[in-house]
């Protein structure tokens, strides 16, 4: 059996993830973020963009292969200034409104530039992120989100024809995700190389890690493409589930769902072991990008410290110190990904 992609999101500690510790666990890929290249106009390259290019070069020199999330145009998250969750836009206003042709023309051109500038470092692109949900499309309609994905993918393809492309809805069979899958894989046949998806069974959604079998079979039949799991994981805090609780643990401290008894470090390790074995042996899987390397301090949904919603997904503690899930991850990757 050929080796599969085994990667991880290394966003905590920011820019200081321990690549040696990753490689010891059989992790060969890291999933990077990207930024819009320009500042106040197309004549001004932003410092953030140059910093990102520098990070990619350093990561490659450290011996890691890289997948990258192309720029996200809008979303819905906690705002420090207002103290509320609200929509935001991350592309500058000069790029045009979401219903203008200008916006999608600039989307294509900036994606082309990004792919050209990174062709020596980035081998695989996740085209934007979870645009079937408002958290990652903000005030865009689902039709605008689809138009954006196609325009950005075409730009990435033009800038680096060798890179692998795919999208990653947060759900695999909702009306919104099916709209995006059909647009990208049926109406634009040949544009994408793999079919991606995210899923958090037993935490954000009901179910168990074994439910990936149904998802993989469904998406392979729908698209005919090999499946890459762009995000999957399990948190180590939250305790026993609260079925009657709020949709986000930000407000009650517990998830509604659990795959077995709840969210603890021990349960996280068991979940990881089961998931890694499954995703490295089940047919039609290209591989996976685990979420995530290290715990975060601040929840991006609510702004609280150590909130179960977003702060304890790491297989390390956020300071490169392994949690039990790290050792479960390592044992199974080294055993099954040969």
């Amino acid at each position: 059996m050929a080796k599969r992609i085994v990667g991880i999101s290394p966003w905590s500690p920011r820019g200081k993830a321990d690549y040696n510790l990753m490689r010891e666990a059989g992790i060969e890929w890291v999933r990077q973020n990207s930024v819009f290249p320009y500042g106040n106009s197309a004549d001004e390259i932003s410092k953030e963009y140059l910093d990102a290019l520098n990070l990619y070069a350093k990561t490659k020199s450290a011996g890691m292969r890289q997948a990258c999330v192309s720029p996200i145009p809008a979303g819905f998250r906690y705002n420090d200034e207002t103290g509320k969750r609200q929509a935001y836009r991350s592309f500058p206003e000069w790029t045009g409104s979401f219903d203008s042709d200008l916006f999608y023309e600039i989307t294509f051109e900036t994606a082309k530039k990004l792919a050209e500038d990174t062709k020596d470092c980035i081998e695989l692109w996740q085209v934007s992120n979870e645009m079937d949900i408002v958290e990652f499309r903000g005030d865009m309609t689902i039709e605008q989100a689809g138009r954006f994905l196609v325009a950005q993918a075409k730009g990435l393809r033009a800038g680096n024809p060798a890179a692998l492309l795919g999208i990653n809805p947060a759900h695999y069979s909702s009306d919104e995700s099916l709209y995006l899958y059909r647009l990208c894989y049926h109406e634009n046949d040949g544009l994408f190389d793999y079919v991606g998806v995210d899923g958090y069974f037993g935490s954000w959604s009901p179910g168990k890690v074994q439910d990936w079998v149904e998802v993989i079979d469904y998406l392979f039949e729908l698209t005919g493409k090999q499946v890459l799991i762009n995000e999957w994981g399990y948190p180590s805090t939250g305790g026993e589930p609260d079925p009657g609780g709020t949709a986000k643990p930000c407000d009650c401290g517990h998830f509604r769902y659990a795959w077995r008894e709840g969210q603890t470090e021990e349960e996280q390790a068991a979940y990881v072991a089961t998931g890694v074995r499954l995703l490295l042996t089940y047919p039609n899987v290209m591989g996976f990008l685990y979420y995530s390397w290290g715990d975060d301090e601040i929840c991006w949904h609510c702004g609280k410290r150590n909130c179960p919603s977003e702060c304890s997904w790491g297989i390390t503690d956020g300071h490169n110190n392994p949690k039990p899930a790290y050792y479960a991850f390592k044992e199974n990757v080294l055993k099954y990904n040969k």
Side-chain angles (χ1 to χ4, degrees), residues 320-333:
N320 290 311
N321 298 309
K323 293 157 67 174
Y326 171 85
Y327 298 106
F329 192 105
K330 176 179 179 179
E331 176 184 355
N332 287 278
V333 170

Side-chain angles (χ1 to χ4, degrees), residues 51-115:
D51 288 344
L53 296 182
N54 186 48
L55 174 63
Y56 306 150
K58 286 183 176 180
T59 303
K60 181 182 179 181
S61 68
M64 303 300 291
R65 301 178 74 176
Q66 296 173 84
C68 195
V69 182
S70 59
I72 298 168
F76 190 90
R77 68 185 301 159
Y78 180 79
N79 185 313
D80 285 328
E81 295 181 359
T82 64
K84 298 178 180 179
R85 300 170 188 156
Q86 61 188 64
Y88 69 91
R89 174 184 167 127
S90 54
F91 277 36
E93 294 295 334
W94 61 262
T95 62
S97 64
F98 295 145
D99 60 357
S100 70
D101 291 338
L102 174 65
F103 179 77
Y104 302 96
E105 292 166 4
I106 293 176
T107 292
F108 173 90
E109 293 297 336
T110 54
K112 182 172 182 275
K113 174 178 176 54
L114 178 56

Side-chain angles (χ1 to χ4, degrees), residues 129-316:
N129 187 66
E130 295 186 354
M131 293 196 75
D132 56 320
I133 59 175
V134 296
E135 280 81 1
F136 295 101
R137 73 171 190 267
D139 289 333
M140 298 179 85
T141 66
I142 192 64
E143 292 79 14
Q144 290 167 344
R147 187 179 180 187
F148 175 84
L149 288 173
V150 171
Q152 196 171 65
K154 288 181 176 179
L156 294 169
R157 177 69 72 211
N160 182 7
L164 301 175
L165 306 181
I167 65 169
N168 70 318
H171 306 286
Y172 73 99
S173 61
S174 68
D175 290 344
E176 292 80 6
S177 63
L178 285 176
Y179 174 83
L180 297 179
Y181 280 132
R182 287 168 178 149
L183 174 68
C184 292
Y185 295 93
H186 295 174
E187 296 180 34
N188 288 274
D189 184 34
L191 179 58
F192 294 90
D193 304 288
Y194 71 87
V195 58
V197 66
D198 296 354
Y200 295 95
F201 299 109
S203 55
W204 284 119
S205 62
K208 54 191 182 299
V209 69
Q210 294 89 341
D211 291 348
W212 278 113
V213 167
E214 178 180 333
V215 178
I216 294 161
D217 289 347
Y218 181 89
L219 291 179
F220 181 72
E221 182 177 352
L222 179 68
T223 67
K225 302 291 185 181
Q226 291 285 296
V227 180
L228 178 70
I229 313 302
N230 298 73
E231 287 185 27
W232 72 281
Y234 200 74
S236 61
T237 61
E240 294 184 4
D242 180 5
T246 54
K248 288 184 171 61
C250 307
D251 304 315
C252 66
H254 301 272
F255 287 88
R256 285 180 175 175
Y257 312 107
W259 85 296
R260 295 193 314 191
E261 298 177 5
Q263 283 80 35
T264 66
E265 288 196 357
E266 293 73 21
E267 287 289 278
Q268 182 191 41
Y271 190 98
V272 165
T274 303
V276 169
R277 287 195 298 268
L278 170 64
L279 298 178
L280 291 180
T281 58
Y282 198 72
N284 300 318
V285 178
M286 178 189 293
F288 63 79
L289 304 171
Y290 187 82
Y291 190 87
S292 64
W293 175 247
D295 289 347
D296 286 304
E297 292 185 6
I298 304 295
C299 175
W300 63 266
H301 291 296
C302 66
K304 297 176 185 175
R305 289 185 175 274
N306 302 316
C307 173
S309 287
E310 293 295 340
C311 295
S312 67
W313 296 88
I315 59 173
T316 71

